[in-house]
Amino acid sequence: MDNRDPAVAAARPTAIAAAPVLNSVVPNSGPTAGNNVVTLNGSGFTGVTAVSFGTAAALLYTVNSTTQITATVPPGTGTVGVTVRTPGGTSGSVPYTYVAPPTLTAASPTQGPTSGGTTVVLTGTALTGATAVTFGGIPATSYIVNSATQITAVSPAGSGAVPITVTTAGGTSGPVYFFYVSAPYLVDISPGQGPASGGTTVVLTGAGLTGATAVAFGATPAAGFTVTSSAQITAVSPAGTGSVAVTVTGPGGVSNPLTYTYVAPPVLSALSPAQGPTSAGAGVTLIGSGLTTTTAVRFGTASAAFTVLSDTTIAALAPAGTTGSVSVNVTSAGGTSNSLTYTRVAAPMI
């Protein structure tokens, strides 16, 4: 027998479900195209009938528990309020911001060495809040967001032509391209020596020389250089001493070194004998220093046959000339020496 009074039961008030509470949306921003998944955290998510982003309904949502919902964001712009509706009512709103997708318009420089380490300035739009910068899918070694229109990134190691992209909450940009290039390679330097005063025109032969930005003799820049082709550079030596490493710097890095030797100018201290006949063929010994690389011996303007005996001695054959004094000097890789006087004496008459 049912002892409950129907009249009493009818008078008892019906319990009303509380409205849901929405505490956060994670992440709270995303692309204007939508279709990304976010997590809604709160309470009272029983019997959910709608999840809205502003006035637009979520593309899809799943109630994971009374405290969590997973939703797919619809397209939109600006900042909108996210709400959850149940039979108990509609929650308060939590802001969600639509972020414009980033774009890239330029990279500078557009090339660098395969070893990486090139500082590249990226220009574009909507770059604020960048979460990734990649070179061909490989994360940049580091990057700094300078402004909404500029990022400075350091290239990782790589090869060939690769796309650079930037990712933000708004999505991933279209690419600009970066070209990895190999360091220049040197095979030969000609001549391999010259005077300490510099000014020698030197031909460098190798590969990958196009785009060379510097030619150095040791730590000193060349007095000037011209890239003739990808295989040849003509450079002018600066002043220097001793043997130095000659290198070429290009977009791909610094080349292997070749040796260039600075030669001290020759010095003459004595002629023996200091006089001889006007006819050709008289033997003269030249004494001095720095004579090893001698390329010419001159009596006035006339060239003499000679043999380099040592760094301090040359044996020469005086050319024919008129009676009187003439200046004698030598030319070597180090330049032209001082002059000494040689006197031609007429043969005695009988």
Side-chain angles (χ1 to χ4, degrees):
M1 178 178 180
D2 188 352
N3 295 321
R4 290 178 297 177
D5 186 336
V8 173
R12 187 177 295 126
T14 302
I16 299 175
V21 174
L22 181 59
N23 295 326
S24 65
V25 178
V26 181
N28 62 2
S29 61
T32 54
N35 208 41
N36 54 305
V37 176
V38 297
T39 300
L40 284 63
N41 301 300
S43 60
F45 295 160
T46 300
V48 174
T49 57
V51 173
S52 300
F53 289 73
T55 59
L59 299 180
L60 181 70
Y61 68 87
T62 300
V63 179
N64 303 318
S65 68
T66 59
T67 61
Q68 187 182 85
I69 296 172
T70 301
T72 301
V73 183
T77 58
T79 298
V80 300
V82 180
T83 58
V84 175
R85 186 170 71 240
T86 69
T90 301
S91 70
S93 67
V94 170
Y96 178 86
T97 301
Y98 286 99
V99 180
T103 66
L104 286 180
T105 55
S108 180
T110 58
Q111 55 185 8
T114 55
S115 58
T118 303
T119 297
V120 180
V121 176
L122 303 172
T123 304
T125 62
L127 304 180
T128 302
T131 56
V133 176
T134 62
F135 287 68
I138 301 174
T141 301
S142 64
Y143 67 89
I144 297 173
V145 179
N146 303 318
S147 67
T149 60
Q150 188 182 87
I151 290 176
T152 300
V154 177
S155 66
S159 61
V162 299
I164 303 175
T165 60
V166 172
T167 299
T168 69
T172 298
S173 71
V176 292
Y177 282 84
F178 184 80
F179 300 87
Y180 286 101
V181 292
S182 299
Y185 183 75
L186 293 178
V187 175
D188 184 58
I189 180 170
S190 180
Q193 56 187 9
S197 58
T200 301
T201 298
V202 176
V203 177
L204 301 170
T205 305
L209 304 182
T210 302
T213 56
V215 175
F217 286 68
T220 306
F225 71 91
T226 301
V227 179
T228 307
S229 69
S230 64
Q232 188 177 89
I233 290 176
T234 300
V236 178
S237 66
T241 58
S243 293
V244 298
V246 178
T247 58
V248 173
T249 300
V254 180
S255 74
N256 59 302
L258 294 179
T259 300
Y260 181 82
T261 301
Y262 286 101
V263 181
V267 175
L268 289 181
S269 56
L271 301 178
S272 181
Q275 62 180 19
T278 57
S279 59
V284 181
T285 300
L286 287 68
I287 300 170
S289 62
L291 306 180
T292 299
T293 60
T294 296
T295 56
V297 174
R298 291 184 178 85
F299 284 67
T301 58
S303 296
F306 69 94
T307 301
V308 176
L309 302 179
S310 70
D311 191 58
T312 61
T313 307
I314 293 175
L317 296 177
T322 59
T323 302
S325 297
V326 64
S327 295
V328 178
N329 60 44
V330 302
T331 298
S332 74
T336 299
S337 72
N338 59 303
S339 295
L340 295 180
T341 300
Y342 179 80
T343 303
R344 292 190 177 95
V345 180
M349 297 188 67
I350 300 175

